[in-house]
Amino acid sequence: MVFLYTFVLDDFVLPVSNGLHPLMFEVTTVGGVGFLALIGLLASRRPDVLDNDWFNGCAVTCSLAGAFVALESVGAPGPLYYLGSVLVDVGFEWALVVACLTLGELRLRAICAHAGVAALVAYGGTALMQYLPLAVPLACYGLAGPVAVVVAAPSTRRRLAAAAAAPPLADVSVTRPGVLPSLTNLLFVSIVVLMSAFGYSLGYDAHATMPLFLVVMAVFALVWVAATWRSQDLDLVYKVAGIIVLFGMFVSHPGVGSFAGLQAAALKAGALLVYYVEVVLYAGMAARSRSGGIALVALANAASLLGILLGSEVHGGVQLVATFSENAAYLLTVTIACAFVAFIVLAQRGFSLNRAVAEIEDPAPDGVPVPVVVPAPAVDLRGACAALAEEYGLTPRESEVLGLLVKGYGTARMEEALVISRNTVKTHVRHIYAKLGCHSQQELIDLAEKSSPVASPESPHSFQGDITLEG
């Protein structure tokens, strides 16, 4: 259903509305980003607020009411159409989140299989809608989100309950960054970059008709099978999607010539692969973190929408330049393409989407917080911390934070002991982890124990870390 909504929006709704309501895309995208950011904030700080069916009911209501308002006011000037479109998009964004949570109940191979089949079926159905009355795709536009929410409701309840029972991600992620990667993590940056290139390509009005849509489906199926038949290689799909989108951009530029069929096939095949990567990535995140999946999916989707908006606005700027000089506009397009390639070659060197997703941690797997095992009293923690601080060049304040971390202190206790804010604690912890090459509090404790002049690992004491030590 989420694929169907997206394809109907691209092929039927936006082409009709853009001429009458030129800011429709920007307004709905900003509304979607704001809603997803709110969900991500609540899920990471107050997950208990989401632990009911209220959001599901609101999403269904928003989609249905928004579709009615938008369709009734599509031909009239004024804010009503924008309001209706934003409501529909808000309902859809929640539907996308819960659909990915439901897919996240599966293993990665099954996620890839389900997402690939769903993308092909949805795209094929959308292509056939070109021969049906306009009421059919418009009905799909209004109903796809609610149907997805209703179908995913049982899984959503389980995930929301797990999130409410787990410690807040915002607290746990201070000492365990893998629980909630920062927005500057290369995983999120990669999503923004790919979606920016995709958003740029959306500026070209490409519609694949018979028999081109068969070519699009064949290209997608070939890449999908090649990348997932033996191993679920998301990096291959990511890069191929980017290459096809860039190729479509080149052959779509006015200064190149007329390649209408090739343009449409390339851009649509690229779009299909981009949407596939997006859904599989989100579902993969949800699969890795049962209790933290909702925050991860919401924030990743917000990053995706920001990338699309950025690419679309850049395309608008290039088109403005084209009114004065087509050569200058083409040069800008080439520069953007080179920047994308440079990102893949340089910034992503040694990076893997599969590995980044695999490194995501669940704050409370099986509903049980992960314990932090601290050294026995016989271990000279003060001497170990002093040795580590000197060896790795820690500042005095970082040395103090290190001393509390190796004792198993959680975020709240460190705030209280040092009389500093959570953000300051987070900054110090991040610097300590970077200097010592650690990725979690437990790794840091183990390193301190090895560095201690006296080590007695036979009798460790277990604490609940961020869970029991939070004040």
Side-chain angles (χ1 to χ4, degrees), residues 161-199:
L169 296 185
D171 293 339
V172 182
S173 64
V174 174
T175 54
R176 293 174 60 199
V179 167
L180 184 64
S182 70
L183 295 179
T184 57
N185 185 283
L186 200 51
L187 173 61
F188 288 114
V189 174
S190 297
I191 293 174
V192 172
V193 170
L194 176 64
M195 301 314 286
S196 296
F198 173 60

Side-chain angles (χ1 to χ4, degrees), residues 56-99:
N56 281 343
C58 284
V60 172
T61 303
C62 283
S63 291
L64 296 178
F68 176 79
V69 172
L71 295 178
E72 286 295 317
S73 58
V74 64
L80 272 182
Y81 182 76
Y82 290 112
L83 174 61
S85 299
V86 169
L87 289 176
V88 174
D89 189 66
V90 164
F92 167 73
E93 299 305 340
W94 179 254
L96 177 57
V97 170
V98 299

Side-chain angles (χ1 to χ4, degrees), residues 133-405:
L134 185 59
V136 175
L138 293 181
C140 292
Y141 170 67
L143 295 175
V147 171
V149 170
V150 171
V151 171
S155 174
T156 305
R157 292 190 192 99
R158 293 193 296 270
R159 288 301 188 112
L160 293 177
L169 296 185
D171 293 339
V172 182
S173 64
V174 174
T175 54
R176 293 174 60 199
V179 167
L180 184 64
S182 70
L183 295 179
T184 57
N185 185 283
L186 200 51
L187 173 61
F188 288 114
V189 174
S190 297
I191 293 174
V192 172
V193 170
L194 176 64
M195 301 314 286
S196 296
F198 173 60
Y200 189 95
S201 73
L202 287 178
Y204 300 108
D205 190 21
H207 298 284
T209 57
M210 276 285 202
L212 284 177
F213 89 88
L214 295 176
V215 175
V216 172
M217 295 179 71
V219 171
F220 172 81
L222 179 62
V223 177
W224 170 49
V225 171
T228 61
W229 183 255
R230 291 188 177 179
S231 63
Q232 294 69 55
D233 191 348
L234 297 182
D235 296 280
L236 175 61
V237 183
Y238 179 99
K239 292 170 183 176
V240 172
I243 291 171
I244 293 177
V245 167
L246 293 181
F247 178 77
M249 287 163 49
F250 284 135
V251 297
S252 301
H253 198 276
V256 176
S258 179
F259 297 96
L262 187 59
Q263 164 204 0
L267 291 177
K268 284 301 179 182
L272 198 54
L273 288 167
V274 167
Y275 289 138
Y276 168 80
V277 169
E278 184 182 28
V279 169
V280 172
L281 269 179
Y282 300 166
M285 293 177 185
R288 289 294 304 168
S289 181
R290 183 175 182 80
S291 52
I294 183 171
L296 291 166
V297 173
L299 292 175
N301 195 17
S304 173
L305 289 181
L306 279 175
I308 293 176
L309 181 61
L310 174 63
S312 176
E313 295 308 302
V314 170
H315 181 271
V318 172
Q319 291 298 98
L320 182 62
V321 171
T323 60
F324 300 98
S325 171
E326 287 191 354
N327 289 335
Y330 187 66
L331 179 60
L332 287 174
T333 301
V334 172
T335 302
I336 292 169
C338 289
F340 178 77
V341 173
F343 173 79
I344 292 178
V345 174
L346 300 177
Q348 283 194 330
R349 179 183 298 175
F351 172 77
S352 166
L353 289 173
N354 290 75
R355 186 169 62 250
V357 171
E359 290 174 351
I360 292 175
E361 303 175 33
D362 193 328
D366 300 320
V368 180
V370 176
V372 175
V373 181
V374 300
V379 175
D380 181 10
L381 289 179
R382 180 174 297 181
C385 290
L388 289 173
E390 182 178 357
E391 180 180 355
Y392 293 98
L394 301 186
T395 66
R397 184 58 108 178
E398 289 171 354
S399 300
E400 290 182 89
V401 174
L402 173 64
L404 300 180
L405 283 170

Side-chain angles (χ1 to χ4, degrees), residues 91-140:
F92 167 73
E93 299 305 340
W94 179 254
L96 177 57
V97 170
V98 299
C100 291
L101 292 179
T102 301
L103 268 180
E105 301 281 328
L106 308 173
R107 294 184 178 274
L108 185 56
R109 178 180 293 276
I111 291 172
C112 293
H114 281 76
V117 172
L120 285 171
V121 172
Y123 183 74
T126 305
L128 294 178
M129 287 181 194
Q130 298 173 8
Y131 307 99
L132 299 176
L134 185 59
V136 175
L138 293 181
C140 292

